[in-house]
């Protein structure tokens, strides 16, 4: 009950966080509860009702293969969210480990880690992602797609977390922990980590957002899981079959609406969490 009250307090303190939370919740609930009300088997190609605009029977219309786009979105949104959550978790997890240890330990270890990070940050990420995805195109799955994106999503979190740890490691409570005989691991996870939780939550929202947009970009190029109706692959098929030119606006417009909700919602969640982590910024706003 106390934790629920704390969450409500945070939502009241940050209108941006509340608005973003509502938008993301709408998308998540659509994917979770949709199978209870929608026949997901209609997400498979059918030849009986191709190229239908919105109707009572097919609220989001159908594509060239007769797939009901409402069913496609119900099936595809959880897959797209899975890519974002998995890639964001792996990328931020590596960033947390390397950022905390690099920032706190310093020395040669910090030089090596930051040398690798700075070098990889100069490499065009899109080119690398396209190269990796095209190499394993025939075998790529939703989980594989997430790991491909995670391979380039840990460098920026490492850098920003390290900068935060550098500013915290000389504070009095950290020095007191050293005098009390706490080990390096205990200081990092018991003293530094809890103080950065709101900041890390904001970084996680950004990481998930970046991962989802990256996956949609790759899928729109045809480098996604060919047999899974993710949001990005739906856009790819709409591009492939010239839906815009042929006036089939519902085929590309509906996925873009959901992408917009996810992007803006996670962006506002990240902004709201950043406000909570930085009281001075909240006062300035």
């Amino acid at each position: 009950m106390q934790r629920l009250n704390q969450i409500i307090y945070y939502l009241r303190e940050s209108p941006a966080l509340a608005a973003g939370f509502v938008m993301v919740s709408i998308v998540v609930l659509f994917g979770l509860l949709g199978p209870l009300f929608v026949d997901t088997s209609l997400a498979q190609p059918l030849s009986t009702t191709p190229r239908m605009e919105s109707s009572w029977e097919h609220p989001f219309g159908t594509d060239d293969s007769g797939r009901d786009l409402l069913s496609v979105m119900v099936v595809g949104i959880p897959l797209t969210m899975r890519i974002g959550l998995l890639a964001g978790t792996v990328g931020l997890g590596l960033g947390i480990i390397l950022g905390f240890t690099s920032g706190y330990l310093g020395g040669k270890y910090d030089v090596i880690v930051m040398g690798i990070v700075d070098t990889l940050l100069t490499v065009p990420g899109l080119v690398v992602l396209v190269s990796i995805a095209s190499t394993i195109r025939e075998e790529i799955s939703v989980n594989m797609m997430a790991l491909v994106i995670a391979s380039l999503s840990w460098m920026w979190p490492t850098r920003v977390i390290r900068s935060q740890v550098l500013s915290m490691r000389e504070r009095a409570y950290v020095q007191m922990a050293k005098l009390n005989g706490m080990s390096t691991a205990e200081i990092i996870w018991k003293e530094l980590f809890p103080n950065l939780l709101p900041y890390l939550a904001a970084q996680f929202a950004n990481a998930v957002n970046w991962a989802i947009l990256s996956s949609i970009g790759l899928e729109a190029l045809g480098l996604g899981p060919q047999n899974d109706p993710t949001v990005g692959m739906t856009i790819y098929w709409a591009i492939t079959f010239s839906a815009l030119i042929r006036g089939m606006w519902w085929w590309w417009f509906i996925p873009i609406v959901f992408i917009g909700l996810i992007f803006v919602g996670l962006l506002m969640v990240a902004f709201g969490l950043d406000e909570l982590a930085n009281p001075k910024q909240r006062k300035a706003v």
Side-chain angles (χ1 to χ4, degrees):
M1 188 66 181
Q2 182 178 359
R3 182 168 297 182
L4 178 61
N5 291 334
Q6 190 175 23
I7 293 174
I8 294 175
Y9 170 76
Y10 287 153
L11 294 176
R12 288 178 177 175
E13 282 291 300
S14 175
L17 177 60
F21 180 78
V22 170
M23 294 174 72
V24 174
S25 296
I26 290 173
V27 177
V28 171
L29 290 175
F30 178 85
L32 291 178
L33 301 180
L36 300 177
F37 305 98
V38 176
D39 183 4
T40 55
S41 66
L42 297 178
Q44 301 301 319
L46 301 170
S47 59
T48 54
T49 54
R51 300 185 296 277
M52 285 185 61
E53 291 192 42
S54 300
S55 64
W56 180 257
E57 185 179 1
H58 302 283
F60 289 178
T62 64
D63 61 15
D64 267 357
S65 300
R67 296 184 304 171
D68 178 63
L69 290 180
L70 175 59
S71 300
V72 170
M73 290 295 99
V74 169
V75 175
I77 284 175
L79 295 176
T80 299
M81 295 297 291
R82 188 202 302 177
I83 293 174
L85 290 171
L86 181 55
T89 300
V90 173
L92 184 62
L94 288 173
I96 287 173
I97 294 172
L98 294 174
F100 272 99
T101 54
S102 175
Y104 185 76
L105 296 176
K108 293 182 179 179
Y109 176 74
D110 181 42
V111 173
I112 293 172
V113 171
M114 295 313 299
I116 295 173
V117 169
D118 291 340
T119 301
L120 292 177
L121 283 174
T122 62
V123 178
L126 180 60
V127 175
V128 176
L129 288 176
V130 169
S131 300
I132 297 174
S134 59
T135 302
I136 58 176
R137 179 176 180 179
E138 299 301 326
E139 302 175 0
I140 199 163
S141 63
V142 169
N143 292 337
M144 185 68 72
M145 172 71 74
L147 294 178
V148 167
I149 295 170
S151 66
L152 287 181
S153 64
W154 58 272
M155 289 88 73
W156 185 251
T158 298
R159 169 173 278 280
V160 297
I161 291 171
R162 170 185 174 270
S163 65
Q164 294 291 323
V165 174
L166 285 174
S167 67
M168 295 172 62
R169 69 179 185 180
E170 302 300 329
R171 294 182 182 177
Y173 66 89
V174 176
Q175 300 303 318
M176 185 62 67
K178 289 181 180 179
L179 293 175
N180 289 333
M182 293 180 67
S183 66
T184 298
E186 288 178 324
I187 292 174
I188 289 176
W189 302 116
K190 292 183 179 180
E191 300 294 333
L192 298 177
F193 185 77
N195 285 286
L196 281 179
L197 276 178
Y199 182 79
L200 294 176
Q203 288 298 313
F204 179 69
N206 280 325
V208 172
N209 208 359
W210 182 86
I212 289 175
L213 292 180
S214 297
S215 70
I216 290 172
L218 289 175
E219 290 165 347
L221 295 174
L223 299 176
Q226 300 293 313
N227 298 320
D228 294 313
T230 61
V231 177
M233 290 307 299
T234 302
I235 293 177
Y236 166 71
W237 294 120
I239 295 172
T240 301
F241 291 101
S242 306
L244 181 61
I245 298 175
R246 296 164 59 198
M248 297 175 65
W249 59 269
W250 61 93
W251 196 350
W252 54 265
F253 177 74
I254 290 170
I256 288 176
V257 169
F258 281 102
I259 292 171
L261 283 173
I262 294 171
F263 173 72
V264 176
L266 286 174
L267 194 66
M268 296 181 74
V269 167
F271 179 77
L273 289 170
D274 194 49
E275 280 185 334
L276 295 175
N278 297 282
K280 292 182 179 179
Q281 179 181 340
R282 186 165 69 249
K283 291 179 181 179
V285 175

